[in-house]
Amino acid sequence: MESNQQIIAKGIFKSYKDVKALEDISFSIPRGELFGFIGPDGAGKTTLFRILVTLLLQDKGEINLFGLDSRRDFRKVRLMTGYMPGRFSLYQDLSVEENLTFFATIFGTTIKENYHLIRDIYSQIEPFKKRPAGKLSGGMKQKLALSCALIHKPELLVLDEPTTGVDAVSRKEFWEMLGNLKKLGITIIVSTPYMDEASLCDRVALIQDGKIMQTDTPANIVSSYSAPLYAIRSEKMHKLINDLRTFPETASAYTFGQYIHLTLTPTAKAEDVVGFLSEKNHTGLEINTISPNIEDCFMNLMVK
Amino acid sequence: MKRLRGFIIKEFYHIFRDYRTMVILFGLPVVQVLLFGFVLTNEVKDANIAVLDKSKDAETMNIINKLTSSGYFMLNAVLESEDEVEGVFQEGKVKQVVIFEENFAKTLKNEGRARIQLLADASDPNTAQTLVNYTTAVVNTYLAEKAKSEGKQLLIDVVPKMLYNPAMEASYMFVPGVIAIVLMLISSMITSISIAREKELGTMEVLLVSPLRAGQIIIGKVVPYVFLSFLIAATILLVGRFVFGVPINGPLGLLLAESLLFILLALSLGILVSTVSKTQQTAMLISLFALLLPTILLSGLIFPIENMPLLLQYISHAIPAKYFVIILKNIMIKGTGLESVWFETIVLGGITLFFILLSVLNFKKRLE
Amino acid sequence: MSEREIVIRVRNLVKKFGNFTANDNLCFDVYKGEVFGFLGANGAGKTTAIRILCGLMAPTSGEISVAGFDIYRETEKIKRHIGYMSQKFSLYEDLTVYENIRFYGGIYGLRRKEIAKRADALLVRLGFSEVRNSLIKSLPLGWKQKLAFSIAILHRPDIVFLDEPTGGVDPITRRQFWDMIYESASEGLTVFVTTHYMDEAEYCDRVSIMADGRIEALDTPLNLIKYYNASTMDEVFVKIARPVQQL
């Protein structure tokens, strides 16, 4: 693929004093993709994004964004990028409309000119356009911040944890909006600590402790999980997990909602577990083979 | 240009929305002027004085009696020669020395006119001025009584001399000082806080990735405060003029232009402070201790520079407000023009240019 | 269920801010040793309700008792019997682990010897003995949250309120955190918890879902999933919270 049609990062390193924030980060993202960085707080997502939008300089490595070098051409990169930092960076004392007008003006455009881009999102908060941004709910702030990041018609949208601290409903709506923006051909790079959001991206990178553990489509990541995975429950869940941890053939056991996800050592079989648990007087036992989700994969990679 | 205008409009929104700060910004200077004005021109009672009577005749005795019985003065020492004057002032025993010339009564009788010299400790200029005024008033009352009883118009010249602060120009010297303090406060502190606030909120991140240049961000931050500071300076001048009768003897245009120069200087200092502070709190503390306190203490506003230890006198040369106070005093009170303050103006201009350059260079276009 | 000891009793709780009703006639009980999930969309009124239960804010009307104390007259007693931990404010970053423990122990009037004893036990249990004298800011987020929880229950409260305790924590640590919650609950501690992770809602014994100031649903996760004909709590939540949000 031509270099001006993708974003390529090669061997990015970044340290703060003696803390390594990023170690050898490499990836490539074709134009028009919805790409997710999935990982917990402190994994290095924010540092990476700040380097992407030229706010920070990497210690080592290169980033090329659609043919532009992140160091040399940083002004051009800034012009074509819409960036939404982790905290919704809005002026709390300015109204919804004033915030949007301001961000339009400093990018040399007007709300009117690019209204079509933000219509679906902005129309939901437009009834409150005279309200100060500080008095909006989390979901509404998120929509306003996205509108502000979009108002100059960027080719690339960089969203740092846009759904953190936002309730499940607003999160769903937000991902629907991102889906619509993708249809307009905008490349979107988004980070999130919520593993379940991975399946909404075209491709994801699982990131932990400043390193990318795996990059692929959500489906491929899931299918690369080789060991058989069991979902298991009984009437006494807390006892169940404690018992499973004492079972010598247990490779991993993690609670997932009402179930415990269990993997076994290669030689063991599901029947062995059932036998073991029956001895421990578990009733209402239920055990099924399931396909893993991204969170299973993430934890699996973490312990490797 | 449009971008810049949008930025400035936004900045004005911030200012006007935060009405509490607005009240403080306009209220504080007025309150300060009123406080200084009324507190410092307070009545004097039982002030210690010394007398050096070279004549020792009936007239001098009468006048000394009048002075001591007026309730304003206490006779603390009677001096024998001029050599002792320095001593009593140094010991801080007296605030004023009254000197009668030789052959006082004779001269008054023969020529109808005699002379009293007053030496006042002007390190506290307001008190000094008040003492001189009271003394003159007592002497004049004495003359009026004498004229009534003797039917003879006599004249006594009361010649005051201010020691330790010869340039002192009456009690309204506090007005230029307050202008300097308030402009320093608003321009540097408020600007630095408003920039630090953007860093705290995270909006600075978005501004930095926008096509705005560092210069534009700085100008956008500065322009609204230039307006505001200017308005406030005018408010202080008006209060000074109409409440305390502080004169503006020199050219008004020059006065305003010099104020603008000082505002720019303070703003550039404010931006410099903001480039090194990450939070509003740091910005406030730095401007308070590094900018405001030296301005108050070392600019000659409260403590006359001449009375400071030598080391502090040298340091005071580095305090921009000092030059501004000199300029203001010259223009407002002495009524002189640019010809008397060109040096100070150049110094201020130079410092301003230096700090503007420094803060633009220091303003980071990245985070780190 | 009815025989179980009630530790939080809320009847007709109403809280108004001017014309805005933040809590609209809430009624519920929380039992001793229960893990009670308190869910709701942003702005549904969760924070207000928690503040009232912690005695930080007076309700407009309603009968409420927490740990057996009346919310109007005995807020000081309530504060002694509850613990609180939130994602935003937990520990002092510039103090060491032990200094934080000592500080919080001191707040609750524990004696110096007692603090030292409990601190040692706590550090051993968490496996944190090595970082005893490290500054909080040098610890990973997951450790901080575990430590914050342990400190919140250092004074052995009856009830602990956890406000989004696991936001942004990695999946393994998040589960370890819930293990701690279960363990404490099995020892009789009542846990009142809010979260945005819907799988965590399923770990709770019972869950209430608030929307628009009212409690729209309150039951065990399993019953809610059945009732709303859903497969996960996530679906339940969206079904309840979404229609209201659209208004």
Side-chain angles (χ1 to χ4, degrees), chain A residues 4 8 34 56 75 78 100 116 119 125-126 157 183 189 194 198 202 204-205 219 233 237-238 241 245 248 270 302:
Chain A
N4 64 1
I8 307 163
L34 173 49
L56 282 179
R75 293 221 177 269
R78 289 175 181 189
L100 192 58
H116 62 282
R119 186 175 45 221
I125 46 173
E126 215 165 1
L157 205 51
K183 283 181 199 143
I189 303 180
Y194 297 101
D202 295 333
V204 296
R233 63 170 285 117
M237 290 297 282
H238 189 56
I241 190 136
R245 282 181 186 151
M302 270 179 81

Side-chain angles (χ1 to χ4, degrees), chain C residues 103-177:
Chain C
F103 172 72
Y104 282 101
I107 285 183
Y108 286 100
L110 297 182
R111 258 176 292 178
R112 188 181 287 237
K113 269 188 190 162
E114 188 62 27
I115 294 175
K117 211 171 89 189
R118 291 192 194 183
D120 288 338
L122 181 159
L123 291 173
V124 168
R125 193 153 85 155
L126 291 175
F128 282 6
S129 302
E130 273 178 34
V131 294
R132 179 191 178 95
N133 295 317
S134 309
L135 293 182
I136 293 295
K137 63 181 166 198
S138 69
L139 302 181
L141 177 71
W143 292 34
K144 287 184 203 169
Q145 299 302 79
K146 283 190 214 170
L147 185 65
F149 175 73
S150 304
I151 290 180
I153 59 171
L154 186 74
H155 60 293
R156 304 198 178 135
D158 298 336
I159 307 159
V160 65
F161 290 88
L162 308 176
D163 196 1
E164 287 180 40
T166 55
V169 176
D170 73 68
I172 292 182
T173 313
R174 203 149 67 79
R175 285 172 174 80
Q176 292 169 346
F177 190 88

Side-chain angles (χ1 to χ4, degrees), chain B residues 133-155:
Chain B
N133 290 345
Y134 285 173
T135 314
T136 314
V138 170
V139 171
N140 285 340
T141 315
Y142 173 70
L143 281 179
E145 282 168 13
K146 209 170 157 64
K148 228 183 220 169
S149 59
E150 297 177 15
K152 224 167 148 192
Q153 279 297 336
L154 295 171
L155 211 57

Side-chain angles (χ1 to χ4, degrees), chain B residues 54-311:
Chain B
K54 296 179 186 165
S55 178
K56 294 203 175 92
D57 54 41
E59 294 286 356
T60 61
M61 291 309 275
N62 281 340
I63 292 175
I64 291 170
N65 279 337
K66 285 282 177 199
L67 283 175
T68 49
S69 63
S70 68
Y72 301 132
F73 305 104
M74 295 269 284
L75 189 58
N76 185 282
V78 176
L79 310 181
E80 292 305 327
S81 86
E82 257 138 3
D83 302 336
E84 296 170 53
V85 171
E86 187 75 20
V88 288
F89 275 127
Q90 292 289 329
E91 285 165 38
K93 273 195 199 154
V94 301
K95 293 272 173 202
Q96 178 178 265
V97 175
V98 182
I99 303 176
F100 295 95
E101 61 182 347
E102 278 165 41
N103 303 322
F104 185 86
K106 212 184 268 173
T107 321
L108 187 65
K109 199 173 177 194
N110 294 347
E111 298 174 20
R113 183 168 192 154
R115 221 166 136 244
I116 298 177
Q117 188 173 29
L118 298 182
L119 298 177
D121 175 1
S123 58
D124 176 358
N126 299 290
T127 311
Q129 188 62 49
T130 313
L131 290 179
V132 168
N133 290 345
Y134 285 173
T135 314
T136 314
V138 170
V139 171
N140 285 340
T141 315
Y142 173 70
L143 281 179
E145 282 168 13
K146 209 170 157 64
K148 228 183 220 169
S149 59
E150 297 177 15
K152 224 167 148 192
Q153 279 297 336
L154 295 171
L155 211 57
I156 297 178
D157 291 325
V158 180
V159 185
K161 186 175 175 196
M162 297 300 179
L163 297 182
Y164 310 111
N165 186 10
M168 193 206 70
E169 291 284 348
S171 55
Y172 29 64
M173 73 161 287
F174 69 87
V175 169
V178 172
I179 294 179
I181 290 182
V182 169
L183 290 188
M184 191 50 109
L185 180 81
I186 293 163
S187 310
S188 66
M189 189 135 112
I190 309 290
T191 334
S192 61
I193 288 177
S194 99
I195 295 180
R197 182 171 51 206
E198 301 232 16
K199 288 189 189 174
E200 242 174 72
L201 278 175
T203 43
M204 191 52 96
E205 272 181 68
V206 182
L207 293 185
L208 286 175
V209 296
S210 80
L212 284 174
R213 302 260 167 168
Q216 284 175 311
I217 295 180
I218 290 177
I219 293 172
K221 278 281 170 199
V222 154
V223 167
Y225 291 106
V226 172
F227 270 103
L228 201 64
S229 309
F230 216 79
L231 268 180
I232 290 169
T235 311
I236 304 173
L237 283 177
L238 286 175
V239 172
R241 179 82 191 81
F242 291 106
V243 180
F244 298 105
V246 182
I248 302 174
N249 294 327
L252 186 65
L254 182 66
L255 182 69
L256 295 180
E258 297 279 2
S259 303
L260 192 64
L261 181 63
F262 186 69
I263 289 171
L264 285 177
L265 178 123
L267 287 172
S268 58
L269 278 172
I271 292 163
L272 196 63
V273 168
S274 75
T275 58
V276 294
S277 27
K278 282 206 171 101
T279 64
Q280 300 183 55
Q281 219 178 356
T282 335
M284 189 157 115
L285 287 177
I286 296 182
S287 13
L288 203 61
F289 287 103
L291 300 180
L292 199 61
L293 275 186
T295 300
I296 295 176
L297 298 179
L298 295 178
S299 66
L301 163 70
I302 292 182
F303 309 110
I305 294 172
E306 291 78 2
N307 289 6
M308 291 176 192
L310 209 56
L311 180 68

Side-chain angles (χ1 to χ4, degrees), chain C residues 56-199:
Chain C
L56 299 176
M57 194 189 261
T60 308
S61 66
E63 276 173 48
I64 301 126
S65 75
V66 175
F69 300 107
D70 181 74
I71 201 85
Y72 296 98
R73 289 176 287 110
E74 299 172 307
T75 49
E76 290 317 310
K77 283 185 188 156
I78 288 177
K79 286 178 189 172
R80 281 177 188 280
H81 287 83
I82 61 171
Y84 177 78
M85 170 202 165
S86 86
Q87 186 193 359
K88 281 168 212 126
F89 172 77
S90 41
L91 302 169
Y92 292 101
E93 296 272 313
D94 52 350
L95 296 186
T96 66
V97 170
Y98 186 71
E99 284 162 353
N100 267 285
I101 299 175
R102 196 172 54 193
F103 172 72
Y104 282 101
I107 285 183
Y108 286 100
L110 297 182
R111 258 176 292 178
R112 188 181 287 237
K113 269 188 190 162
E114 188 62 27
I115 294 175
K117 211 171 89 189
R118 291 192 194 183
D120 288 338
L122 181 159
L123 291 173
V124 168
R125 193 153 85 155
L126 291 175
F128 282 6
S129 302
E130 273 178 34
V131 294
R132 179 191 178 95
N133 295 317
S134 309
L135 293 182
I136 293 295
K137 63 181 166 198
S138 69
L139 302 181
L141 177 71
W143 292 34
K144 287 184 203 169
Q145 299 302 79
K146 283 190 214 170
L147 185 65
F149 175 73
S150 304
I151 290 180
I153 59 171
L154 186 74
H155 60 293
R156 304 198 178 135
D158 298 336
I159 307 159
V160 65
F161 290 88
L162 308 176
D163 196 1
E164 287 180 40
T166 55
V169 176
D170 73 68
I172 292 182
T173 313
R174 203 149 67 79
R175 285 172 174 80
Q176 292 169 346
F177 190 88
W178 274 91
D179 286 346
M180 291 175 61
I181 292 182
Y182 275 124
E183 206 168 305
S184 306
S186 68
E187 288 162 11
L189 178 73
T190 306
V191 180
F192 191 98
V193 60
T194 73
T195 179
H196 282 317
Y197 292 97
M198 286 305 136
D199 60 324

